[in-house]
Amino acid sequence: MNKLKKKKNQLPKTKNDPDLKIYQRLFKMGKQLLVESEVNKLLHFAMDEAIQISGAERGMIILFDNTGQIQFQSARNLNKEEIKNPEFEVSRTIINTVKKNKQPVCLQNALDTPEFKKKKSVEKLQLLSVICLPLIHEEKLFGVVYLDNRTFTGIFKPEIFCFVQEFSDLISIAAYNALERKQLQNQVSTLEEELRGKYKFESIIGHHPKMMEILKLVAKVADTSAAVLIQGESGTGKELIAQALHYNSHRKNNPFVPVNCGAIPEQLLESELFGHVRGAFTGAVQDKAGWFEVANGGTIFLDEINDMSPALQVCLLRVLQTGEYSRVGSSEIRHCDVRVVTASSRDLKKLIRKGEFREEIYYRLNVIEIVLPPLRERKSDIPLLAHHYLKQFAEKHGKKNLRISEQAESLLLNYNFPGNVRELVNIIQRAVVLIEGKIVEVHHLPETVLEGIGKDKGKGKEKDYNLSFKVSKQRALEQFEIDYIKNVLKNTGGNITRAAKISGMNVKNFHVKMKKYGINPKNLKTNNS
């Protein structure tokens, strides 16, 4: 085994010294590592940089938990692509040796090294140049960095090995800090789960701070009789909040009655809410109880309360004030004990100013106000929601172990979801129905997602300034590729071979790009048509 001791390099003194450039690059990479908070992204970046600076063909970073089991890993190749089934592409013998001894290994030709040349993994993989370094924090090993080259021997010169060792020290610090942050996030998630478990909030998915504040508020006011007004765009989950209020109150064993005021014709809504007696109007052939009567002792949820006419609002005000109401066609006073939860997808204050909503009933309904954020304001919840519904629909349709590709997830994160969570649910359900393999790719997403991203980008450059340079650049590049491919296909009348030739791309690669972005030439209006 060729073990090399780390050299104590001194900083170069001249600007033209090549070592100065090496250290400057090391410093730059170190800053990038230390600012990255997400473990997997950090490992991908570290692996790509380690491969590039060392001349390796492939590499792997493995982080272990307290029991020695793999907690995170990133296996990459020279083209910055993930390696599938990495356990069959690296030497576990060499990795386990470093893990056991906590000492670095640098082999100029593994096939000629007595300790390793007869090992199955070395022979099978025909390993030549190999570097394997321990990641240590406070004398405890928590990971390894592995690099190899199967084409050339002696590729890892002493100066390269020394530089990779320095870089691995930075990886060690950054990875350990990222793991610490991950553990803190897990602790927060555990507290969230306790909150959800205690108050049965399982159906409300999300850990964005805004959602957590809403859940805390729901927990505080659920077991009261206070009227609650839930405001938010269509598809944000207002009924789920109403259900959480009901099932965490002393009324939970009594009815929860949801009524969509916008789905019932105005002339029938009063009868639906308060009931009617026989002969009250044409078609009233018998007495009928209204929803307030059905909900007695429980909760009535009046969705889209903004669609209720001013005249009917007066009837509702009476119930809110006294609990009294009369069936349509009757003068008999009835009483009910019902908690009223309402929801609106429109700003009621604006409707009040327009004279379309009564101010006195607004203040009766709005004892407690809950404002649900649109999905575009809690984008960190998109992956969580997407994977939740992916699992749910996969089980429903008998498809196991499905996952979402990085490209597809990136598009979902960049989309603004005008239909909010409801739209995301539909997108995931559609993908599960269409998918034939195990991975949801870009072409499984509806074109509205790609078109929506394009429209959002066209609304103003200032939006991109809220994102990091890297993300903005990637989004701009993706949109350029989408627009370019669509336009060149239009100009060739949908002829893919000609389009690829004009673009200077291999036909196969052109097809890959089309598949990545879900572009179908048949759906494009060509300039030749």
Side-chain angles (χ1 to χ4, degrees):
M1 187 192 307
N2 181 10
K3 298 179 181 176
L4 300 181
K5 293 183 179 179
K6 190 183 295 184
K7 295 180 180 179
K8 298 293 184 180
N9 293 307
Q10 294 181 347
L11 285 173
K13 296 180 180 179
T14 63
K15 291 184 178 179
N16 295 326
D17 193 324
D19 285 344
L20 178 59
K21 293 182 179 179
I22 291 177
Y23 273 92
Q24 287 174 335
R25 183 175 182 183
L26 185 65
F27 179 67
K28 184 178 180 181
M29 291 186 298
K31 287 198 296 183
Q32 181 66 33
L33 281 174
L34 293 174
V35 298
E36 181 57 68
S37 60
E38 207 279 310
V39 179
N40 286 320
K41 289 182 180 179
L42 184 150
L43 297 185
H44 290 343
F45 171 79
M47 197 70 270
D48 290 340
E49 290 295 324
I51 290 171
Q52 188 175 0
I53 63 179
S54 68
E57 293 176 330
R58 63 195 54 77
M60 188 174 186
I61 298 178
I62 307 174
L63 302 183
F64 306 108
D65 61 18
N66 292 331
T67 65
Q69 299 299 310
I70 294 176
Q71 188 175 9
F72 291 95
Q73 68 179 17
S74 174
R76 313 277 282 181
N77 61 26
L78 190 58
N79 296 323
K80 297 185 177 181
E81 300 169 335
E82 286 192 62
I83 298 174
K84 296 182 178 179
N85 303 315
E87 61 271 19
F88 303 117
E89 293 292 327
V90 298
S91 173
R92 289 289 176 179
T93 301
I94 295 175
I95 289 174
N96 288 334
T97 299
V98 172
K99 185 178 176 183
K100 178 182 178 181
N101 298 331
K102 299 183 182 179
Q103 294 295 324
V105 168
C106 182
L107 308 176
Q108 301 304 318
N109 186 347
L111 292 172
D112 276 349
T113 305
E115 186 175 350
F116 297 113
K117 66 180 182 180
K118 293 184 179 180
K119 300 298 182 181
K120 288 183 179 180
S121 61
V122 174
E123 289 182 339
K124 182 180 179 180
L125 297 171
Q126 290 292 293
L127 297 179
L128 299 176
S129 303
V130 179
I131 287 177
C132 193
L133 301 164
L135 297 178
I136 297 174
H137 179 78
E138 294 181 353
E139 300 184 356
K140 182 180 178 181
L141 183 141
F142 69 96
V144 296
V145 176
Y146 172 94
L147 300 163
D148 73 30
N149 188 305
R150 304 175 200 180
T151 306
F152 300 103
T153 60
I155 196 76
F156 301 132
K157 304 296 183 184
E159 59 271 20
I160 292 295
F161 177 75
C162 181
F163 186 59
V164 173
Q165 273 194 299
E166 298 283 0
F167 186 49
S168 71
D169 285 348
L170 293 173
I171 295 174
S172 179
I173 296 169
Y176 187 84
N177 289 339
L179 284 176
E180 288 283 288
R181 286 192 293 268
K182 184 68 176 177
Q183 288 177 353
L184 288 174
Q185 290 172 1
N186 290 341
Q187 290 175 7
V188 171
S189 296
T190 300
L191 293 174
E192 289 178 12
E193 288 176 8
E194 290 177 2
L195 178 64
R196 293 179 188 279
K198 182 177 180 181
Y199 295 103
K200 302 186 185 300
F201 293 156
E202 296 90 345
S203 58
I204 304 171
I205 309 301
H207 54 219
H208 189 278
K210 288 184 178 180
M211 291 306 297
M212 295 314 301
E213 287 301 316
I214 287 170
L215 293 185
K216 290 177 184 176
L217 178 58
V218 170
K220 286 181 181 178
V221 304
D223 200 20
T224 70
S225 295
V228 178
L229 172 62
I230 306 168
Q231 299 218 74
E233 294 179 9
S234 179
T236 49
K238 295 186 286 294
E239 186 168 342
L240 292 177
I241 297 296
Q243 289 175 347
L245 288 165
H246 173 73
Y247 290 110
N248 286 284
S249 72
H250 61 276
R251 298 174 180 267
K252 61 185 177 183
N253 295 322
N254 293 313
F256 172 80
V257 179
V259 181
N260 189 331
C261 300
I264 303 172
E266 183 180 337
Q267 61 271 24
L268 295 179
L269 186 55
E270 183 178 2
S271 170
E272 290 295 314
L273 291 175
F274 306 115
H276 62 258
V277 296
R278 180 181 176 183
F281 50 83
T282 303
V285 296
Q286 61 183 18
D287 291 358
K288 179 186 175 183
W291 292 123
F292 270 93
E293 192 170 337
V294 173
N296 192 39
T299 303
I300 189 167
F301 172 56
L302 302 178
D303 197 5
E304 299 299 347
I305 191 71
N306 47 276
D307 287 334
M308 184 177 286
S309 68
L312 196 51
Q313 291 171 30
V314 175
C315 299
L316 181 60
L317 182 60
R318 179 186 176 192
V319 179
L320 292 171
Q321 289 175 330
T322 65
E324 296 179 348
Y325 68 96
S326 297
R327 288 182 176 182
V328 176
S330 171
S331 59
E332 180 187 352
I333 304 298
R334 292 173 177 265
H335 296 268
C336 65
D337 173 24
V338 176
R339 184 185 195 177
V340 178
V341 177
T342 54
S344 173
S345 58
R346 298 175 64 187
D347 188 336
L348 293 184
K349 287 184 178 179
K350 289 183 179 179
L351 296 182
I352 291 171
R353 288 195 291 270
K354 292 180 180 179
E356 297 176 11
F357 202 84
R358 300 180 71 95
E359 188 172 18
E360 65 269 30
I361 193 170
Y362 170 77
Y363 288 112
R364 282 285 181 179
L365 298 175
N366 190 22
V367 176
I368 302 293
E369 182 180 38
I370 295 176
V371 180
L372 292 182
L375 190 53
R376 62 183 173 274
E377 291 182 9
R378 56 180 185 114
K379 287 199 168 187
S380 61
D381 282 340
I382 290 175
L384 188 67
L385 286 160
H387 290 106
H388 169 79
Y389 289 112
L390 181 70
K391 182 179 179 182
Q392 186 179 93
F393 288 121
E395 291 176 357
K396 181 179 179 180
H397 293 279
K399 299 181 179 182
K400 298 180 179 179
N401 302 320
L402 299 186
R403 64 185 181 88
I404 304 173
S405 70
E406 287 188 12
Q407 293 85 352
E409 187 170 297
S410 176
L411 284 176
L412 291 176
L413 281 166
N414 290 326
Y415 183 52
N416 270 340
F417 289 98
N420 292 297
V421 178
R422 186 183 293 127
E423 184 181 8
L424 175 60
V425 173
N426 291 341
I427 288 172
I428 298 300
Q429 185 176 17
R430 176 184 184 273
V432 171
V433 171
L434 295 177
I435 196 172
E436 294 179 354
K438 296 291 185 183
I439 303 175
V440 175
E441 301 284 3
V442 170
H443 65 272
H444 293 124
L445 303 179
E447 286 197 8
T448 51
V449 173
L450 291 172
E451 292 170 357
I453 293 171
K455 288 177 182 177
D456 292 334
K457 287 179 179 294
K459 288 179 181 178
K461 292 182 180 179
E462 69 276 1
K463 275 199 169 186
D464 285 342
Y465 295 148
N466 293 322
L467 303 171
S468 69
F469 173 80
K470 184 177 179 182
V471 172
S472 296
K473 181 181 177 182
Q474 180 63 28
R475 287 174 64 170
L477 177 61
E478 288 175 350
Q479 189 58 43
F480 167 78
E481 291 184 347
I482 292 167
D483 293 341
Y484 179 85
I485 291 170
K486 283 186 174 181
N487 286 327
V488 77
L489 283 169
K490 287 179 182 178
N491 291 334
T492 61
N495 188 310
I496 298 173
T497 303
R498 284 176 55 204
K501 186 175 181 180
I502 291 171
S503 66
M505 295 173 63
N506 178 278
V507 176
K508 183 178 179 181
N509 291 339
F510 197 86
H511 271 285
V512 170
K513 290 286 186 185
M514 288 171 58
K515 184 177 180 181
K516 175 182 178 182
Y517 297 118
I519 298 173
N520 186 346
K522 295 179 181 179
N523 297 332
L524 301 173
K525 292 182 179 179
T526 64
N527 293 339
N528 296 340
S529 58

